[in-house]
Amino acid sequence: MGEVIVITSGKGGVGKTTTAANIGTGLALEGKSVVLLDADIGLRNLDVVMGLENRIVYDLVDVVEGICRMKQALIKDKRYTNLYLMPAAQTKDKNAVNPEQMLKLTKDLAEEFDYVLVDCPAGIEQGFKNAIAGANRSIVVTTPEVSAVRDADRIVGLLEAHGLRNPQLIINRVKIDMVRRGDMMNIDDMVDILAIDLLGVIPDDEYIVISTNRGEPAISDSKSLAGQAYKNIVKRILGENVPFMNLDPEEGFMAKLAKAFGFRRK
Amino acid sequence: MDLFRLFNRGESSNSKDIAKERLQLLLIHDRANVSPQFLEMIKSEIMDVITDYIEIDEDGFEFKLTRTKRESDNSTIPALVANIPIKKMKENIR
Ligand SMILES: Nc1ncnc2c1ncn2[C@@H]1O[C@H](COP(=O)(O)OP(=O)(O)O)[C@@H](O)[C@H]1O
Ligand SMILES: [Mg+2]
């Protein structure tokens, strides 16, 4: 049985889809079999971020409704043979599926894959409940802003209420310059406030936009700082103990980053 | 006296410190799931009890959910803080 990891946030636009695409690709690069499940029904995005939008025939709702078999809705990645996407339906709404159906679907997928990554929609309604239904591990993405952190805290509470203990935090779009000036909350501040384990920190990086333009996640490009940060997250998911200090000593950047954020040596 | 100040660790003009302070207070309300209406209700009941014995400055009566450090382990916990300015004790009681 594979692991089902749901990527949540509460607030929209903080980087869930970007994170799902990069972690999924990263796990595939590490030799794992991975399926990305887009649970954002009605607002599908993961296909575009992965550059697979032209290959969609069937979607998640078709599988749930029995219109096609599970395998028919799995789209093979362009570059990695062990990476698949199951797209969301674009023309239906979140109520087209229910949590029991999602639980069954993720279970079936976990029989076939090492990792099932569920890209959760924004909000705390039906779409959220669907996305977390079959998860046994959860990630909360936030940006260092008051509204995003507030929503993240709400999500942590809801995840725990649904039996998903120990959600892990990804802080996305961190701007080192602003942190240095004292105009952006640093990592310690946010971990302190949210009181959950930190999985990783992603810098704000133009390369995310470039890679989204291309439909190729940043993690496969060694020039991208965000890609490097996602690589470390993938290693941590696989159980490696990657210190936050030495994310990438050659770059010099990560050392600076670590200093600016006041990381403690473990 | 502003009791909020008691719990604020020093003043700062860094916007990130302001963000942190605001968040910490905000999350205490969110997590405790206490509505302003509910707080208002408790406040007026407390006021009713107290005014039986003490004449207070009702406009100055503050009643807030805030946070404090627990002595035993230094963790931050929610606290209800009431600031009740007394005008005078009522004669007939004692
Ligand atoms: N680390 C980053 N640096 C720069 N841009 C980012 C970063 N993370 C996300 N973005 C951009 O922010 C927008 C929202 O990201 P997305 O992953 O779609 O968020 P969500 O799925 O949470 O709504 C996208 O345009 C994406 O390219
Ligand atoms: Mg999204």
Side-chain angles (χ1 to χ4, degrees):
Chain A
M1 272 297 269
E3 243 188 318
V4 182
I5 307 178
V6 64
I7 296 158
T8 65
S9 72
K11 192 175 188 302
V14 299
K16 289 178 296 300
T17 301
T18 306
T19 297
N22 279 285
I23 294 179
T25 305
L27 286 166
L29 276 165
E30 295 281 338
K32 301 293 174 187
S33 65
V34 180
V35 59
L36 296 166
L37 181 60
D38 190 345
D40 202 347
I41 298 169
L43 287 170
R44 77 171 169 220
N45 273 162
L46 200 46
D47 54 329
V48 178
V49 176
M50 295 299 295
L52 299 171
E53 67 274 16
N54 293 325
R55 306 183 187 194
I56 298 175
V57 181
Y58 295 110
D59 58 51
L60 181 160
V61 177
D62 294 325
V63 177
V64 165
E65 289 179 346
I67 291 166
C68 69
R69 280 174 293 113
M70 187 174 87
K71 292 215 164 113
Q72 290 176 286
L74 289 172
I75 302 164
K76 204 171 189 327
D77 185 67
K78 290 180 293 191
R79 295 177 296 169
Y80 307 107
T81 53
N82 45 347
L83 178 59
Y84 288 81
L85 167 74
M86 185 179 285
Q90 179 69 348
T91 53
K92 312 234 167 72
D93 73 74
K94 312 189 223 320
N95 302 315
V97 295
N98 63 43
E100 293 76 51
Q101 292 167 323
M102 286 296 287
L103 179 64
K104 179 172 188 311
L105 177 62
T106 48
K107 220 173 169 184
D108 292 346
L109 288 168
E111 301 277 346
E112 309 279 327
F113 293 91
D114 296 329
Y115 287 95
V116 181
L117 292 188
V118 187
D119 183 17
C120 183
I124 54 173
E125 311 299 331
Q126 176 85 7
F128 169 75
K129 291 184 181 128
N130 283 339
I132 67 170
N136 38 47
R137 192 165 165 176
S138 59
I139 293 174
V140 177
V141 183
T142 187
T143 57
E145 284 169 78
V146 176
S147 54
V149 176
R150 181 195 198 180
D151 291 357
D153 190 73
R154 185 80 202 283
I155 289 294
V156 169
L158 289 171
L159 288 170
E160 284 170 349
H162 281 87
L164 280 162
R165 304 254 151 64
N166 307 321
Q168 290 183 294
L169 181 66
I170 291 182
I171 304 172
N172 188 24
R173 310 204 68 162
V174 173
K175 296 184 178 159
I176 315 134
D177 289 353
M178 291 190 72
V179 171
R180 270 217 205 91
R181 289 202 304 270
D183 278 329
M184 186 173 268
M185 282 183 282
N186 66 37
I187 306 314
D188 280 348
D189 289 337
M190 299 185 48
V191 169
D192 196 23
I193 288 170
L194 288 170
I196 62 172
D197 288 343
L198 182 66
L199 183 60
V201 180
I202 314 292
D204 193 79
D205 182 1
E206 283 185 4
Y207 209 88
I208 292 287
V209 180
I210 298 170
S211 66
T212 307
N213 288 343
R214 294 209 173 105
E216 294 172 0
I219 195 164
S220 44
D221 195 298
S222 56
K223 291 191 295 292
S224 165
L225 295 174
Q228 292 295 315
Y230 276 121
K231 275 210 176 96
N232 287 305
I233 286 177
V234 166
K235 288 194 184 129
R236 290 186 197 112
I237 288 175
L238 292 172
E240 255 181 76
N241 187 9
V242 187
F244 290 103
M245 284 292 294
N246 311 316
L247 291 179
D248 193 349
E250 288 100 33
E251 290 276 351
F253 160 82
M254 287 303 177
K256 271 196 278 175
L257 185 80
K259 213 171 152 204
F261 293 164
F263 282 126
R264 286 171 298 237
R265 214 178 281 271
K266 288 250 164 77
Chain B
M1 178 175 64
D2 180 0
L3 281 154
F4 270 95
R5 289 278 150 77
L6 270 179
F7 305 106
N8 290 352
R9 279 165 264 148
E11 307 285 289
S12 172
S13 56
N14 269 350
S15 73
K16 76 107 175 168
D17 291 328
I18 298 167
K20 192 177 177 187
E21 287 294 337
R22 289 176 61 211
L23 257 170
Q24 281 173 326
L25 215 52
L26 194 57
L27 293 189
I28 277 163
H29 279 264
D30 287 358
R31 286 172 187 169
N33 201 9
V34 182
S35 70
Q37 291 90 323
F38 182 66
L39 276 184
E40 207 42 48
M41 191 191 82
I42 305 177
K43 178 181 168 180
S44 72
E45 284 185 24
I46 288 178
M47 192 135 78
D48 281 351
V49 173
I50 290 176
T51 48
D52 283 346
Y53 306 97
I54 303 167
E55 201 176 304
I56 65 169
D57 169 14
E58 296 199 4
D59 292 333
F61 187 169
E62 266 192 292
F63 187 69
K64 278 171 183 164
L65 194 60
T66 179
R67 66 196 143 86
T68 186
K69 289 262 186 221
R70 185 163 56 198
E71 296 263 310
S72 55
D73 60 357
N74 221 26
S75 66
T76 307
I77 53 165
L80 274 172
V81 171
N83 184 17
I84 311 166
I86 297 170
K87 280 187 177 154
K88 69 171 198 280
M89 308 303 279
K90 290 196 173 163
E91 299 291 313
N92 50 340
I93 302 295
R94 279 171 303 138

